């Protein structure tokens, strides 16, 4: 039976990606680090996102990598606990060298969030959802 799910992402340079995600508050399980990969933990549930250097990832997937500058292969959504946390994370992303492609704003009257691209162009969506305003 399936025990766990994790996400694998190709990156150009593991060390630079690890530094970026560390600056915005993500943690790592360094027991699983290799020179060409790292194990990032996201959220309270410690969802695993493996970052693999592109050549290693391409070998696993046996497929051409997506050009993240012209297309998206995935949108990774994560939740925030408050509007202030969304704003704080957006600021950290910019300071760490990420690209905020959608600035923090309200959406549909009950969500507040922003979108960013990491150093390798993978797109992330951060949302605070106020279900009390959902109608």
């Amino acid at each position: 039976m399936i025990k766990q799910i994790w996400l694998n992402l190709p990156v150009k340079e593991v060390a630079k990606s690890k530094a970026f995600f560390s600056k915005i508050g993500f943690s790592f399980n360094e027991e699983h680090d290799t020179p060409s990969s790292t194990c990032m933990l996201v959220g309270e549930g410690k969802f695993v996102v493996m970052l693999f250097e592109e050549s290693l990832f391409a070998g696993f997937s046996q497929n051409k990598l997506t050009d993240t500058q012209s297309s998206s292969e995935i949108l990774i959504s994560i939740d925030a606990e408050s509007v202030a946390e969304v704003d704080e994370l957006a600021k950290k992303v910019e300071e760490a060298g990420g690209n905020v492609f959608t600035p923090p704003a309200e959406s549909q009257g009950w969500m507040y969030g922003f979108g960013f691209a990491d150093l390798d162009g993978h797109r992330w969506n951060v949302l605070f959802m106020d279900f009390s305003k959902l109608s």
Side-chain angles (χ1 to χ4, degrees), residues 56-88:
L56 185 57
F57 183 92
F60 291 154
S61 67
Q62 296 189 9
N63 205 359
K64 183 177 141 185
L65 298 181
T66 298
D67 176 0
T68 58
Q69 299 305 309
S70 62
S71 64
S72 296
E73 82 283 28
I74 191 169
L75 175 64
I76 306 159
S77 295
I78 55 178
D79 69 338
E81 292 185 14
S82 66
V83 168
E85 186 177 43
V86 170
D87 290 339
E88 180 182 329

Side-chain angles (χ1 to χ4, degrees), residues 5-68:
I5 184 171
W6 61 90
L7 178 68
N8 300 312
L9 290 177
V11 299
K12 289 178 181 37
E13 294 182 47
V14 170
K16 283 186 177 181
S17 292
K18 187 174 180 180
F20 170 79
F21 285 109
S22 293
K23 287 176 185 173
I24 68 170
F26 291 5
S27 62
F28 293 83
N29 180 349
E30 294 184 350
E31 292 177 13
H32 297 292
D33 276 9
T34 73
S36 56
S37 67
T38 190
C39 177
M40 184 168 69
L41 304 174
V42 180
E44 292 173 1
K46 298 189 186 303
F47 183 87
V48 174
V49 178
M50 293 296 299
L51 305 177
F52 291 101
E53 285 193 1
E54 289 178 340
S55 60
L56 185 57
F57 183 92
F60 291 154
S61 67
Q62 296 189 9
N63 205 359
K64 183 177 141 185
L65 298 181
T66 298
D67 176 0
T68 58

Side-chain angles (χ1 to χ4, degrees), residues 59-130:
F60 291 154
S61 67
Q62 296 189 9
N63 205 359
K64 183 177 141 185
L65 298 181
T66 298
D67 176 0
T68 58
Q69 299 305 309
S70 62
S71 64
S72 296
E73 82 283 28
I74 191 169
L75 175 64
I76 306 159
S77 295
I78 55 178
D79 69 338
E81 292 185 14
S82 66
V83 168
E85 186 177 43
V86 170
D87 290 339
E88 180 182 329
L89 189 54
K91 183 178 177 184
K92 286 180 180 180
V93 165
E94 286 182 329
E95 290 171 353
N99 173 33
V100 174
F101 61 83
T102 303
E106 186 177 300
S107 175
Q108 300 177 29
W110 63 281
M111 293 185 289
Y112 183 83
F114 78 102
F116 75 93
D118 63 28
L119 300 181
D120 292 283
H122 304 293
R123 294 195 168 233
W124 297 74
N125 184 40
V126 180
L127 290 172
F128 167 66
M129 296 175 278
D130 186 348

